[in-house]
Amino acid sequence: MMQSTGSGASWLAANLDGKTLTAWAVTGGTAGPAQVLHLQDHSKTAVAAGLRQALAGSTLPVVLGGSGLAAPQAVPAEPAKLPLTRARLEELTVHALPGLSQPAPAGLIQAAAARLTGFLRLNPEWDGVVCLPGTFVTHWVQVSAREAVSFQSALSGRLAAVVARQMVMEATGEWDKAALTEAAADGISKPELLAARLASVQAAAALGQLTAEAARGRLWGLLLGAELAAARPYWLGQNVALLAEAPLEPLYAAALQAQALPVTLADSRRMTLEGLTRTWSAS
């Protein structure tokens, strides 16, 4: 299904998230289906090869998010006004979208910058917190008066992958909601016991005391509970927007809704495309 975006000549919108490159060919303001390319690594050579594949021999302008080719903007900053930087990537000329940085605690938003930009361009009056879960890192961004004021990050996705690997299962897959919400409550109330609780889940799974679904639910519940405990100053009493792709969206939504938080859900991929498109149109 084609999706209408901005206007203008043909170009390529692309966003890098770890080793995943998502690209859209945009013609006359209409974006074609997303191409999702899995790169061998996130080196400049691999990214350039992925872009060449997405371009399929054409010489279209490329707008690229998540690459780190542009110096990040320090917060407080307006994501909707992030400027594009012209950069070389091997033989390709790209227009790179910068990320956001924070000196203390040290923080860096790269892959999720386009997503955040798109949401705030579509919702310029949003005040509250935007949660941006990712496979490797999740960001909690405080937004006020159109500015990203500060943010806090967590490596829950990466930790889930490591622990699940030790239990010989995938981090994502079917999970038990009751197990997740119970473990999330435990993780919020006693985040200092995270390592011990994870060891217990691993042992229970090895002894056959937990199904894979229950083990996965407890694993994510404990990690998200500890993440929510650390991010409490961000979400407590705030409007929360959740911008995540499956399979992370339902995991985070369940943990947040268990805290009786009103959560606004937004299509993560659409927000990324909107961020790239509207920034290109304004440049």
Side-chain angles (χ1 to χ4, degrees), residues 31-93:
Q35 304 177 60
V36 180
L37 307 174
H38 300 287
L39 311 180
Q40 290 186 343
D41 53 52
H42 47 73
S43 66
K44 290 183 179 181
T45 297
V47 176
L51 288 175
R52 285 193 294 269
Q53 183 178 342
L55 286 165
S58 69
T59 57
L60 300 176
V62 176
V63 178
L64 178 62
S67 68
L69 291 172
Q73 301 285 299
V75 296
E78 287 191 54
K81 292 185 178 180
L82 291 177
L84 293 174
T85 297
R86 189 181 178 93
R88 293 290 295 177
L89 186 61
E90 295 192 351
E91 81 285 2
L92 300 173
T93 298

Side-chain angles (χ1 to χ4, degrees), residues 80-211:
K81 292 185 178 180
L82 291 177
L84 293 174
T85 297
R86 189 181 178 93
R88 293 290 295 177
L89 186 61
E90 295 192 351
E91 81 285 2
L92 300 173
T93 298
V94 301
H95 304 271
L97 181 73
L100 296 171
S101 66
Q102 179 174 268
L108 179 63
I109 299 176
Q110 288 187 317
R115 204 186 327 168
L116 178 63
T117 296
F119 179 78
L120 294 180
R121 282 186 176 273
L122 290 173
N123 303 277
E125 303 308 318
W126 174 269
D127 266 36
V129 174
V130 181
C131 180
L132 303 160
T135 303
F136 297 105
V137 60
T138 294
H139 307 287
W140 296 80
V141 186
Q142 179 189 6
V143 176
S144 179
R146 306 192 180 196
E147 285 190 331
V149 179
S150 67
F151 62 92
Q152 180 170 297
S153 305
L155 295 177
S156 300
R158 183 168 293 186
L159 290 172
V162 171
V163 177
R165 192 178 306 123
Q166 296 301 312
M167 292 192 285
V168 197
M169 69 177 189
E170 295 293 328
T172 54
E174 296 296 323
W175 49 276
D176 185 286
K177 185 174 182 180
L180 182 144
T181 54
E182 180 183 355
D186 187 22
I188 290 174
S189 63
K190 299 176 181 177
E192 71 278 7
L193 295 180
L194 174 62
R197 295 286 196 255
L198 290 176
S200 179
V201 171
Q202 181 173 292
L207 292 169
Q209 297 174 359
L210 290 175
T211 65

